[in-house]
Amino acid sequence: MTLDISSAPIASDTTDHAPPGPNSRVRWAQDLSASLVVFLIAVPFSLGIALATGAPLTAGLVSAAVGGIVVGLFGGTPLQVSGPSAALTVITAGLVAQYGWQATCAVTVAAGLLQLLLGVRRVARTALAVSPAIVHGMLAGVGLTIAIAQLHVVLGGSPQSSAIANLLALPSQFAGPHPPALLAGTVTVATLLGWPRLGRLPGRAGEFGARLAKVPGPLVAVAVATALALALDLRLAHIQLPAWQPRSLVPALPHGSLTEVLAAVLNVTAVASVESLLSAVAVDRMSRRTGDLDRELRAQGLANTVSGLVGGLPIAGGAVRSTANVRAGGQTKWASVLHGAWVLAAALALAGGLRRIPLAALAALVLVVGLQMVSFAHIRKVHRHREFPVYLTTVLGVVGFGVLWGVGLGAGTAVLLALYRLTRAHVDVEPGPDGSVTVQTHGPLTFTAVPRLSRALASIPADAEVTVVHDGSFLDHAAYETLHNWRAGHQAAGGRVSMVTRRPDDEVLDPDGTVRAGSSPGPHRCRAWTPWVGHHCIEQQEDPHGRLLDGVRVFQQHTAPLIRPELARLAREGQTPSQLFLTCADSRMVTSMITNSGPGDLFTVRNVGNLVPAPFEPGAADDSVAAAVQYAVEALEVRSITVCGHSGCGAMKALLDGVHERPGPPTPLARWLRNGRGSLDRLRRAPAEFADRPVVDLAEQLCITNVVQQLDQLMANPAVERRVEEGTLRLVGMYFDFATAQAYVLDRVAGTFSPVEARTEERPDGVSAERVRQDGRVPAEGSGEGPQLAA
């Protein structure tokens, strides 16, 4: 039951200080500029993909134009740019080799129709259930396959029919390369890799290089190689752009068994859909928007249908083009549409110039793209999640047997790995100095662990005092019966047994256990589902410091081992919080609780009354808050700032009592409270209200009005104002009522605070899922970034 307040829709239009969108003229200018940037990347990339598949090179430009225009007009992710896909290169090349080009177009049409059907059935979210290790492994395997094949073209030869054949033929190809082709390919690779680094040159050269680097590297690399070939009159194979004749490109039914054809259609559909949806999610996160994945899938299906009918390659959403669109300032779907129009115009008007491009230059371009699909960041991530065997199996399967087999082998490995982890458990018996025994269990206790568990329990002396500590993993009936029967027998023989679990969500192992589930020996005898709850049951100690140390000891014993790896990572990598959370210093205000956040999620600033001092206010300014805000906005580059007030705020009551205006020398508290005078003025002019209930009293009305006022005072900070105007920072107002444990979020349009409510929905796969809504609006799924607001 969580709501990501950094990316969910409730903080997009109605609950934040997001600046109004630029006027239509500015948007058109930004879309036009972005479309030209993407166009300059798409032309050489599309030609290179077509070359790698063995399709007519015109097909690459056709699919780029269709993807840009059709998906741009009808898609659900406005800033995603679609076109020929590198991930589909190996599949398409196999189809062209097996069935011919016209039959490949028919497969593309069928895959598009199937995507349309899946989009109508609203199953887009289920495609995201594929393990990231399999997806990244598939992309890496496809990238290696592409790179190995195109290396032959760079060396002046021709690629073989499979990756294995290409690997076996490489020694002979290296023994007799074609020098002109090798020169053109080397120049292309060197330009591609060196062009983005121009901005790193020292002095004025770096400034000039940074301006040059704004020109897309693929375009520059291909242009330099082409100019070099013309200047040196190199004898090279050039691209062939046949005249576009739709009649000759009409799809033809593939000749082969129905099973093979259906497998080919499913293969294209699955890869194109998964890549497009994953790219759409990534683009939404980059642009901080929420798209419609089912609509995006329908648009991809329509584009593939049209592309196949007019002789284009299979289409998918592309991370390279989409990222370029976002970074170039694209604002609406028209950036993608215009890019498609430019590609179409280039195919019709620039055919003569395009024919001068050496094949080796395009092959080198695709080779680099293929190698870049092997991401070391992804490898580190899957290794950190212990999914590297799945990744490696998928990569080797794709390279050795093709995409479909590779994905199948990766999925099989994931299943076997999950079963292995499910059956793996450790049971450690640790004798104590006083004759007591502690039995520590780690991992799921299933029937497969019963023999190991029985042997460990049988080794314990009959009269020993035993504490069985279960780590909270899965416990099946067979293991439960083993523990229960052993405990009964041990107690009958005169021993004592305590059952302890560490996790909050587990059942009590035995109703008669001497220690309740989740509790631990020591002064804290409360349920551990929230370690702070029920503090009244803690033995009252005269020394508060002693109670604090008891809490620290419990943390060191139970919590520290669980979070140590994450804290070690944060110690190495530094903090990268997504939000600045500005709230009150009230001891009841537990920010990590109400936002469901952990270490590294929130950059928190707390003060009396959650005030943001306005600059240049005589006698009231305070630089500490402004310094924290500036550091969070400029150094940490947080993406949102939340000002959170709360019920029963003592600072607001003091403002109403006029503490800040009392005669005599002002106290530090009085001087500080003067920063709230703007909230008192707003209370008189335009008090804030709740959307679903009346305010309890004047103090509560001042509490929520103060939140609105502090958001306005935040805009007086130049760093905040600049980022908000750029559209890279959002300001969110929040209020928390202690008595009802209810969070409210400010709706800036209505000027009211609306409750954040939990609601149970049915997922497409039929599983009941707890989600959070505000005013009936559904938050974004799959975000996983930043702190979460618990309902």
Side-chain angles (χ1 to χ4, degrees):
M1 295 185 293
T2 58
L3 169 63
D4 187 337
I5 61 176
S6 66
S7 60
I10 68 163
S12 60
D13 302 318
T14 62
T15 64
D16 55 37
H17 262 261
N23 58 48
S24 58
R25 180 177 299 179
V26 174
R27 283 200 302 268
W28 269 104
Q30 292 176 321
D31 284 340
L32 177 62
S33 174
S35 70
L36 290 172
V37 172
V38 180
F39 157 70
L40 295 176
I41 295 174
V43 169
F45 185 75
S46 302
L47 292 173
I49 295 296
L51 171 68
T53 61
L57 296 186
T58 313
L61 298 178
V62 169
S63 58
V66 171
I69 296 173
V70 175
V71 180
L73 288 174
F74 302 104
T77 307
L79 297 187
Q80 172 153 268
V81 181
S82 300
S85 164
L88 288 165
T89 300
V90 176
I91 299 174
T92 309
L95 293 176
V96 173
Q98 183 174 0
Y99 299 114
W101 172 239
Q102 289 181 293
T104 301
C105 291
V107 171
T108 303
V109 172
L113 293 174
L114 183 55
Q115 283 181 303
L116 273 171
L117 177 61
L118 294 175
V120 171
R121 298 294 298 172
R122 305 184 68 83
V123 298
R125 291 283 176 187
T126 60
L128 303 180
V130 180
S131 168
I134 296 176
V135 175
H136 296 318
M138 179 196 72
L139 294 176
V142 168
L144 289 174
T145 303
I146 293 172
I148 295 169
Q150 297 310 301
L151 182 57
H152 284 274
V153 181
V154 173
L155 295 173
S158 299
Q160 306 297 314
S161 58
S162 68
I164 301 299
N166 282 321
L167 282 172
L168 295 175
L170 273 180
S172 60
Q173 192 69 64
F174 276 115
H178 185 244
L182 182 59
L183 176 62
T186 303
V187 168
T188 303
V189 172
T191 306
L192 270 174
L193 298 180
W195 192 252
R197 293 175 170 80
L198 291 179
R200 303 178 187 177
L201 297 174
R204 293 185 177 179
E207 297 177 3
F208 180 69
R211 289 194 292 268
L212 282 180
K214 293 180 180 179
V215 181
L219 177 70
V220 176
V222 172
V224 170
T226 303
L228 179 66
L230 292 175
L232 300 181
D233 194 21
L234 299 178
R235 296 183 178 181
L236 291 169
H238 295 80
I239 69 173
Q240 301 296 322
L241 289 176
W244 186 40
Q245 299 176 351
R247 290 185 178 180
S248 65
L249 296 175
V250 173
L253 293 178
H255 297 288
S257 68
L258 181 60
T259 303
E260 291 179 347
V261 174
L262 288 177
V265 173
L266 291 174
N267 207 3
V268 173
T269 302
V271 175
S273 300
V274 171
E275 185 186 14
S276 298
L277 294 175
L278 290 175
S279 176
V281 171
V283 172
D284 280 342
R285 290 178 182 175
M286 289 178 60
S287 59
R288 298 175 179 83
R289 304 187 183 191
T290 302
D292 185 337
L293 293 185
D294 291 301
R295 180 178 176 183
E296 181 68 21
L297 184 57
R298 293 193 295 270
Q300 295 290 338
L302 179 61
N304 272 310
T305 303
V306 174
S307 181
L309 289 173
V310 299
L313 294 168
I315 288 171
V320 175
R321 294 179 293 262
S322 302
T323 301
N325 186 30
V326 174
R327 291 178 177 173
Q331 296 293 315
T332 69
K333 64 182 180 180
W334 294 107
S336 174
V337 175
L338 288 172
H339 132 270
W342 305 141
V343 172
L344 183 61
L348 298 175
L350 303 178
L354 296 177
R355 289 190 180 96
R356 298 179 180 272
I357 299 176
L359 288 179
L362 287 181
L365 169 63
V366 179
L367 184 149
V368 172
V369 172
L371 291 178
Q372 289 174 343
M373 292 172 70
V374 184
S375 170
F376 288 101
H378 291 155
I379 293 175
R380 287 192 295 270
K381 184 177 294 184
V382 298
H383 185 270
R384 185 165 62 246
H385 290 280
R386 300 187 299 165
E387 296 287 335
F388 185 73
V390 178
Y391 177 89
L392 182 61
T393 302
T394 307
V395 172
L396 296 178
V398 170
V399 172
F401 307 104
V403 173
L404 190 60
W405 276 99
V407 171
L409 290 172
T413 304
V415 172
L416 292 176
L417 189 61
L419 290 175
Y420 170 73
R421 289 172 178 168
L422 185 62
T423 59
R424 186 178 182 181
H426 295 285
V427 182
D428 300 321
V429 179
E430 303 171 358
D434 56 352
S436 64
V437 176
T438 300
V439 179
Q440 297 270 0
T441 68
H442 308 276
L445 286 180
T446 65
F447 65 94
T448 60
V450 167
R452 189 180 307 116
L453 179 62
S454 298
R455 285 194 299 269
L457 297 176
S459 66
I460 299 174
D463 59 347
E465 182 175 347
V466 183
T467 301
V468 180
V469 183
H470 183 42
D471 68 356
S473 299
F474 178 71
L475 177 71
D476 75 353
H477 186 255
Y480 173 88
E481 286 293 335
T482 301
L483 281 170
H484 176 78
N485 293 335
W486 170 83
R487 179 180 181 274
H490 190 79
Q491 288 182 333
R496 295 183 59 193
V497 179
S498 300
M499 299 290 191
V500 178
T501 56
R502 289 182 180 171
R503 292 278 182 92
D505 301 330
D506 296 320
E507 302 177 24
V508 177
L509 294 179
D510 196 301
D512 300 325
T514 55
V515 180
R516 297 179 64 186
S519 64
S520 60
H524 293 243
R525 295 279 178 170
C526 310
R527 288 183 57 83
W529 59 274
T530 45
W532 45 268
V533 78
H535 59 275
H536 56 274
C537 73
I538 300 174
E539 297 177 4
Q540 296 298 319
Q541 302 181 25
E542 294 183 0
D543 180 15
H545 180 64
R547 186 189 307 174
L548 180 67
L549 287 182
D550 284 337
V552 174
R553 291 188 185 100
V554 172
F555 165 81
Q556 292 296 153
Q557 180 179 357
H558 297 292
T559 309
L562 300 177
I563 67 171
R564 188 172 289 118
E566 177 64 11
L567 291 180
R569 181 188 68 81
L570 290 171
R572 292 192 308 270
E573 300 176 2
Q575 61 170 332
T576 56
S578 62
Q579 295 197 35
L580 165 61
F581 200 84
L582 200 156
T583 189
C584 188
D586 193 294
S587 62
R588 299 166 295 176
M589 194 68 182
V590 185
T591 57
S592 60
M593 177 185 69
I594 69 170
T595 61
N596 195 24
S597 57
D601 287 339
L602 294 181
F603 185 76
T604 306
V605 175
R606 305 183 68 145
N607 61 53
V608 175
N610 47 272
L611 300 176
V612 182
F616 315 120
E617 178 138 359
D622 180 272
D623 287 337
S624 64
V625 177
V629 170
Q630 181 179 358
Y631 179 74
V633 171
E634 295 185 346
L636 299 179
E637 296 183 343
V638 296
R639 298 191 297 274
S640 73
I641 301 178
T642 299
V643 175
C644 183
H646 65 87
S647 60
C649 181
M652 298 301 104
K653 293 178 181 178
L655 279 173
L656 289 174
D657 292 341
V659 172
H660 60 294
E661 302 292 354
R662 288 178 180 174
T667 64
L669 178 61
R671 286 197 299 271
W672 171 255
L673 288 178
R674 288 175 180 175
N675 294 298
R677 288 179 294 192
S679 300
L680 288 174
D681 292 339
R682 183 183 286 267
L683 181 66
R684 302 184 188 98
R685 300 191 323 270
E689 302 285 350
F690 290 103
D692 64 332
R693 67 173 178 86
V695 295
V696 174
D697 52 26
L698 188 61
E700 184 177 59
Q701 193 154 45
L702 179 57
C703 288
I704 59 177
T705 303
N706 178 60
V707 171
V708 182
Q709 177 65 24
Q710 301 313 310
L711 290 175
D712 286 347
Q713 291 181 188
L714 261 176
M715 287 295 290
N717 187 302
V720 174
E721 183 181 22
R722 175 178 55 81
R723 287 280 306 280
V724 169
E725 290 178 349
E726 291 174 354
T728 59
L729 180 67
R730 289 174 173 168
L731 306 186
V732 181
M734 188 181 299
Y735 175 79
F736 188 76
D737 182 63
F738 290 129
T740 60
Q742 177 64 59
Y744 296 81
V745 179
L746 174 62
D747 183 330
R748 292 295 295 180
V749 176
T752 57
F753 283 81
S754 300
V756 179
E757 300 175 349
R759 176 169 176 172
T760 302
E761 288 193 342
E762 196 75 10
R763 292 200 326 223
D765 56 6
V767 180
S768 178
E770 291 288 347
R771 304 175 64 194
V772 170
R773 287 178 175 240
Q774 178 187 353
D775 297 337
R777 303 189 66 186
V778 183
E781 293 184 9
S783 171
E785 292 184 3
Q788 308 264 320
L789 177 61

